[in-house]
Amino acid sequence: MNAMHGSTLPFCARTLEIDAEAETVRIVAALRAQLRGPLRKRGLVLGLSGGIDSSVCAALAAKAVGAANVFCLYMPENDSDPESLRLGQLVARTFGLEGVVEDIGPALEAMGCYERRDGFIREVVPDYGPGWSSKIVIASPLTTSGYNISSLVVQSPDGEVQKHRLPAPVYLGIVAATNMKQRMRKQFEYYHADRLNHAVVGTPNRLEYDQGFFVKNGDGAADVKPIAHLYKSQVYQLAEHLGVPEEVRRRPPTTDTYSLAQTQEEFYFALPYDKMDLCLYGLDNGIPAAEVARAVSLSEEQVGFVWTDIASKRKVARYLHLPPQLVEPAQHPF
């Protein structure tokens, strides 16, 4: 993957342009080699969320092993947007993929996911209960180089919206309960992968992979991650080339995890993905802050805050990427 910086073009969105056909060929070849070689599997399983990343991965999987050897899962739960299921099924039809709905809501209820989450919320909002909705949001790191402050937004049954600052134990408790959703989905993916002798596809893009926007042993668990090297804006380029439905390509990125609609930048990222991509590329490739600032329409000081936030999230991601720690190597190298 070759970036265009170093040409006569100024640093801008075009810096991240790729040859979509060449990149498709490269990823497809890598998937085939991984399945034939270390994985020794005959096909691929993935969860289809109706989002851009899983849709592109589904299209790449079909090209790599053929539609008949790709199995898709749709895994709604009590807080899911119905559009996620509809769009996921649209993608599967587009590429001729077989799939099945695994409603994880009952399993999450049995595990106490919603009850535990609501219990922590009631420590801040005592009236929270049936008919209420909620989400977690972060303060913008563009205004400070300090710690990100998380807040809880709730909506009562009569439509009143409240925002409350979250004490750390409550924040951690809500997130811990919510993470059950990603881990339950992965349980179903590996069940079907084991049943079919397939490998599980992880769908993070470079921004998510680098910044730790995934749950350890949840959506972070996979056998292959075919787009983890691509910036999200490059994933959109591949989506257009591969024929991902326009309705999916137009859908704003969302977490689809909380009962209130929540964008990714509300929950985790400092900026929309296109600007985050350029800030991340600029930091990693030594682009001066002034050039990055011009490209993303921010001040140099604000770019500095974003870079500080990137570094902070990389510290979180370091733990998420760690394998289990051993006293000494306990396995013969293959």
Side-chain angles (χ1 to χ4, degrees):
M1 181 185 64
N2 294 318
M4 295 175 61
H5 196 73
S7 69
T8 57
L9 285 172
F11 180 68
C12 61
R14 290 194 63 192
T15 302
L16 297 181
E17 285 184 356
I18 57 173
D19 181 334
E21 173 59 23
E23 189 59 31
T24 297
V25 169
R26 187 165 81 105
I27 294 171
V28 164
L31 283 171
R32 289 172 178 166
Q34 290 158 355
L35 289 174
R36 286 194 306 264
L39 296 177
R40 300 181 65 82
K41 300 293 183 181
R42 60 185 293 271
L44 296 163
V45 167
L46 78 159
L48 266 179
S49 67
I52 196 71
D53 297 316
S54 65
S55 299
V56 166
C57 287
L60 292 167
K63 280 187 172 291
V65 299
N69 294 308
V70 179
F71 191 78
C72 300
L73 297 175
Y74 320 103
M75 295 173 282
E77 46 91 14
N78 296 5
D79 296 323
S80 295
D81 183 347
E83 280 292 276
S84 297
L85 175 58
R86 185 184 71 81
L87 291 175
Q89 292 175 326
L90 172 63
V91 170
R93 289 195 302 272
T94 299
F95 299 110
L97 306 177
E98 181 184 356
V100 65
V101 176
E102 295 277 14
D103 183 353
I104 66 171
L108 291 171
E109 286 183 355
M111 293 170 61
C113 167
Y114 306 111
E115 181 181 356
R116 294 169 198 266
R117 177 201 62 193
D118 294 355
F120 282 107
I121 292 175
R122 278 192 288 272
E123 293 188 27
V124 178
V125 185
D127 292 335
Y128 192 87
W132 288 68
S133 302
S134 63
K135 64 181 176 182
I136 289 177
V137 300
I138 59 169
S140 172
L142 296 181
T143 58
T144 175
S145 57
Y147 294 103
N148 289 332
I149 303 300
S150 295
S151 298
L152 174 71
V153 176
V154 299
Q155 184 173 18
S156 67
D158 62 8
E160 180 190 1
V161 176
Q162 307 169 22
K163 186 175 181 180
H164 301 268
R165 183 166 173 174
L166 281 176
V170 174
Y171 167 79
L172 290 172
I174 294 171
V175 170
T178 304
N179 285 351
M180 290 183 182
K181 299 180 180 185
Q182 283 76 13
R183 293 189 174 113
M184 180 57 66
R185 289 190 174 105
K186 199 58 61 172
Q187 289 273 14
F188 278 104
E189 289 177 32
Y190 270 100
Y191 161 73
H192 287 286
D194 291 347
R195 177 179 67 83
L196 297 166
N197 194 30
H198 284 11
V200 170
V201 179
T203 65
N205 58 64
R206 187 187 194 114
L207 186 60
E208 294 170 345
Y209 189 78
D210 181 282
Q211 292 288 278
F213 188 57
F214 57 87
V215 174
K216 190 164 188 172
N217 296 324
D219 52 339
D223 300 311
V224 294
K225 296 184 178 181
I227 61 170
H229 63 294
L230 294 176
Y231 294 91
K232 191 161 186 116
S233 52
Q234 294 171 333
V235 175
Y236 276 96
Q237 294 173 50
L238 272 194
E240 183 175 5
H241 172 75
L242 291 165
V244 170
E246 184 180 358
E247 197 173 359
V248 174
R249 290 187 275 127
R250 289 200 314 261
R251 187 188 194 195
T254 174
T255 63
D256 198 21
T257 297
Y258 290 85
S259 50
L260 279 178
Q262 179 192 56
T263 64
Q264 290 185 346
E265 55 263 32
E266 277 185 312
F267 181 64
Y268 203 75
F269 295 116
L271 299 166
Y273 75 85
D274 52 343
K275 294 186 177 184
M276 279 299 304
D277 281 352
L278 289 170
C279 287
L280 184 63
Y281 181 94
L283 177 62
D284 288 347
N285 290 275
I287 310 299
E291 286 190 50
V292 176
R294 283 193 296 271
V296 298
S297 300
L298 296 174
S299 69
E300 288 186 52
E301 182 182 35
Q302 288 174 321
V303 168
F305 290 160
V306 174
W307 283 352
T308 297
D309 190 57
I310 288 173
S312 175
K313 287 185 169 65
R314 280 178 169 168
K315 292 179 182 177
V316 174
R318 190 176 303 129
Y319 158 72
L320 297 176
H321 286 292
L322 277 176
Q325 301 297 286
L326 307 178
V327 173
E328 63 179 49
Q331 183 182 39
H332 188 275
F334 293 101

